[in-house]
Amino acid sequence: MNGRGHSLFPLIVLTLLAGVSVWLDRITQQEPVAKTDRTRHEADFTADKLTLRRFDPTGKIQYVLVADSMVHYADDESTELVRPRLNYLNRPEPVWVESNFATVSKDGATVVLTDDVFLRRAAHAGKPESTLRTEAMTVWPDDEKMRSDKPVTLTQGKTVITAERMESDNIVGEVRLQGQVRGTLYRNTPTPKP
């Protein structure tokens, strides 16, 4: 009997060790940490009634961006804005740009406005108010440049011009129209006859 007890002793110890190992493994395991799936396009934060002011190197306000709401996405660091309004206030003739929706790039350098884009330049130095309407426009706010690859309608006083595409540089005051440009031009002030 004594010999038989010695032969079962290693088996009992091994069984106890196996049981303790399984028990230790189970109690030391933590809940799996949920990793953020960066392949899914999910919002990581939102804001309502957003106002952003950009200052030029001299400390004057270059532009103000206002939106009804903002949603930021972690996967591509993009931002979506609902009813954005971009106001350039540092010019003799202020410029206002608005739309129903916009997407802002990761670095904030590019804003793509969509859904009923409207631009208005205030009257200045004898020039009447100017407007532009299109369905989509890309804006580089810091450079004050804009481009639309959708049809545009520009007005200035009674003048109305349509085009298939448009590029604009607000700093140098240049607008380039391309593709099927049509319009009716009116002089702002009549030229005296000689």
Side-chain angles (χ1 to χ4, degrees):
M1 188 97 157
N2 196 8
R4 190 166 187 213
H6 286 296
S7 65
L8 288 177
F9 180 72
L11 185 59
I12 293 171
V13 171
L14 271 163
T15 305
L16 282 173
L17 280 174
V20 169
S21 295
V22 170
W23 175 75
L24 281 173
D25 183 54
R26 288 193 180 172
I27 66 165
T28 58
Q29 282 186 0
Q30 297 177 353
E31 290 293 317
V33 177
K35 293 183 180 177
T36 305
D37 184 1
R38 296 191 64 87
T39 62
R40 294 175 54 186
H41 194 62
E42 292 181 345
D44 60 346
F45 69 87
T46 63
D48 291 328
K49 308 292 183 199
L50 173 76
T51 301
L52 172 82
R53 290 176 180 83
R54 168 76 174 186
F55 296 90
D56 67 14
T58 66
K60 292 173 64 178
I61 293 179
Q62 181 179 2
Y63 63 82
V64 177
L65 175 65
V66 178
D68 289 357
S69 65
M70 177 196 79
V71 179
H72 181 268
Y73 296 93
D75 63 328
D76 61 358
E77 295 293 325
S78 67
T79 303
E80 293 178 350
L81 303 172
V82 174
R83 289 203 16 83
R85 280 98 59 206
L86 181 63
N87 302 324
Y88 287 103
L89 304 173
N90 65 338
R91 318 231 19 105
E93 64 284 353
V95 175
W96 296 272
V97 183
E98 61 184 56
S99 70
N100 289 327
F101 186 79
T103 303
V104 182
S105 65
K106 175 181 179 177
D107 59 2
T110 306
V111 179
V112 179
L113 302 162
T114 55
D115 193 15
D116 198 21
V117 180
F118 179 70
L119 179 141
R120 181 170 54 96
R121 181 187 303 269
H124 178 71
K127 293 181 182 177
E129 177 181 87
S130 302
T131 66
L132 178 140
R133 289 192 179 276
T134 186
E135 280 305 307
M137 182 166 47
T138 303
V139 178
W140 293 271
D142 293 343
D143 298 330
E144 297 190 33
K145 293 183 179 181
M146 301 169 211
R147 182 180 71 219
S148 178
D149 293 325
K150 300 284 185 182
V152 297
T153 301
L154 291 100
T155 65
Q156 185 179 47
K158 293 183 195 178
T159 297
V160 177
I161 301 172
T162 60
E164 291 178 358
R165 294 176 302 285
M166 182 267 323
E167 291 182 10
S168 171
D169 187 326
N170 193 38
I171 293 173
V172 298
E174 182 178 275
V175 176
R176 290 178 297 284
L177 302 172
Q178 301 171 339
Q180 299 293 320
V181 178
R182 298 176 188 204
T184 305
L185 303 174
Y186 290 88
R187 291 184 182 160
N188 293 332
T189 56
T191 306
K193 294 183 180 180

